[in-house]
Amino acid sequence: MKKILVCGAVRDRQMEQMREAFQVEDFRGVSLDNNPALETALGEADALINGGLPITSALLDRAPSLRVIATISVGYDAYPVDELSRRGILLCNTPDVLTETTADTGFSLIMATGRRVAELDSWLRRGEWKGSVGPAQFGKDVHGKTLGMIGLGRIGAAVARRGALGFGMSILYSNSSPKPALEEELGARRCEMAELLAEADYVCVTVPLVKETVHLIGAGEFALMKPDAVFINLARGKVVDETALVDALKKGRPGAAGLDVFEVEPLPGDSPLLGMDNVVLLPHVGSATHETRDAMAQRAVDNTCQALRGETPLSPVNLDSWQP
Ligand code: DGY
C-alpha cells in the first residue's frame, strides 16, 4: 500500500478519506526537528502533504521513494522546483480555493490602513478619546480613489474587482501580460510601473516571488509614490526591500503601509515596523480562514490521492517532468 506522510494541517475527516486507499503517517502538530519517527516515515513515503517542513536536498536524499509533494499553499517559492523535477517528484499547490479569501485580506488591509483602524482602536483604548475627533485622527478615503495593482493574477484581479465594483476605484495595473477581459470588466488600465506608482493612491503588490521579483519594490519605487499613498504587500516579504520601506515610511512617502508578509517571518521582535503607527501588520494570514484552510487541505489531499492513483492532479506545478 502506498504511503502518505502528513506534515500539514489536514483535517481528521480528510485523513480518514486517505486511509481508505493508502497508509497514512500522521505528523500533524508534532515537532519535526530531530524526530526519528519522521526520518523512518520519510524513508518509506511515496507522498508528502506539507505545511512547513523545509524541503532541502538533504531531506530529499532521505526520501528515496517520494514521488509527490502536495503543499498546502498556492505559493511554492519555498520549494526547489527544478531539483524536484530532476528527481521526478511532482509538486502540487492549492490555487483558486484561496483567491477570494486572500483578496478579502488585501482589501481589509487597504481599509484598515487608509482609515487607520488599528491605530485609532489603540488610541481609544489608551483613553485618548476626550472630545470630538479632529484632523489628527482623520484618515484617507478609499472609495473613488486610484488603486494601483502590481501584479494582476488571480488574487490581484480579485482585489481589483473589490476596488472597482465595490468602491468605485479606478484601477491601474502593471503585469507581465495584458489582461483585456479585466480591462473590459473593471475599466482597468495597464501602464508602466513608474506611472502606476506616481498616480495611485493605494498601491497593492500581488506578484509571485521568483528571482525577477526579489526586491521589485525598493527605495527608487517608494520615491516615485505620492506622499500620502498607502502601500499594501499581499505577495511575499522578499518582493519588497523592507529596510527601504522603513526608511521611506519615516520620510512619509508612502504615508502608510499595510503588510501581511515580511522578509523574515515570524516578524522579529526588534523590527522597526513594530514601532510605527502608520503601519498595519498582519501575521501572514492571507488565506487564514476556517473555510479556506479547510478547502486548501482538501485540495492537497485530492492532489495527492489523484497523483498516487496515476491520474493528473487538479493543481500540478511541474507536470512536464513527472511520470505517474
Ligand atoms: C499561500 O498559500 O501561498 C499563502 O501565502 C499562505 O501561505
Side-chain angles (χ1 to χ4, degrees), residues 88-99:
I89 298 173
L90 178 67
L91 177 65
C92 302
N93 68 340
T94 64
D96 304 316
V97 293
L98 48 55
T99 300

Side-chain angles (χ1 to χ4, degrees), residues 6 20 38 80 92 95 120 125 141 151 185 193 195 206 288 306-307:
V6 178
E20 285 168 16
L38 176 68
C92 302
L120 291 174
R125 288 169 199 265
D141 275 342
E185 178 192 353
M193 193 158 76
E195 181 185 346
T206 61
Q306 286 163 341

